[in-house]
């Protein structure tokens, strides 16, 4: 099997996990906003976080990386983040300013996409810092969700959840700034050639 055909694979275990994660997004939204089945919704988020970690491990360990995987894995992550912040905002679990800061970062990075395309580049590869930010946010939201309840665990979940949320949001912005700097460096070096 040639290297090119291996990169074009669709049916890999990591891609299947990413597809399943994508299917979980509407289920999560329905659980949170419909029947308000919070325990099940947190379970969906936990499974999404675990499969996000697992698909990357499997892809690297068994040489199952693919072009599709590099697209749908971060897309699934972003979709979960947006679905989760929307649901938690509508349920008054998180404040609007946190949503604005996260969405603002996405808009900031999105401004670099036309520049990349104009110079013939596709989206840059996901940076480790971006993965770390996503990891923090994927753990912050279920914890903040738990913090909105009245059980013995609420105070602990609130402290740890906000720690993950603030750290993750800071890393998310840092990764976004690095992304834009990389775009600028690519464009500058392309102009010199």
């Amino acid at each position: 099997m040639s290297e090119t055909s291996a990169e074009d694979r669709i049916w890999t275990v990591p891609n299947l996990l990413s597809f399943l994660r994508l299917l979980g997004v509407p289920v999560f939204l329905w659980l949170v906003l419909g029947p308000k089945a919070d325990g099940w919704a947190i379970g969906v988020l936990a499974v999404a976080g675990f499969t996000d970690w697992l698909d990357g491990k499997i892809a690297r360990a068994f040489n199952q990386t693919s072009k599709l995987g590099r697209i749908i894995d971060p897309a699934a992550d972003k979709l979960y983040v947006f679905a989760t912040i929307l649901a938690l905002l509508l349920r008054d679990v998180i404040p609007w300013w946190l949503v604005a800061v996260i969405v603002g970062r996405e808009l900031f990075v999105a401004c670099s996409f036309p520049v990349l395309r104009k110079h013939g580049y596709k989206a840059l590869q996901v940076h480790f810092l971006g993965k770390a930010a996503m990891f923090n946010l994927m753990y912050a939201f279920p914890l903040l969700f738990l913090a909105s309840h009245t059980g013995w665990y609420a105070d602990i979940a609130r402290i740890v959840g906000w720690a993950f949320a603030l750290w993750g949001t800071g890393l998310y912005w840092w990764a976004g700034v690095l992304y834009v700097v990389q775009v600028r460096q690519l464009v500058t070096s392309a102009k010199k050639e």
Side-chain angles (χ1 to χ4, degrees), residues 157-177:
R158 184 173 298 105
I159 293 166
V160 177
W162 274 108
F164 272 117
L166 295 174
W167 184 245
T169 302
L171 290 175
Y172 204 47
W173 264 95
W174 188 6
V177 169

Side-chain angles (χ1 to χ4, degrees), residues 12 26 51 70 75 82 107 114 121 124 157 193:
T12 65
T51 58
R70 281 191 286 281
F82 288 124
L107 295 173
Y121 295 105
L124 298 178
E193 293 174 359

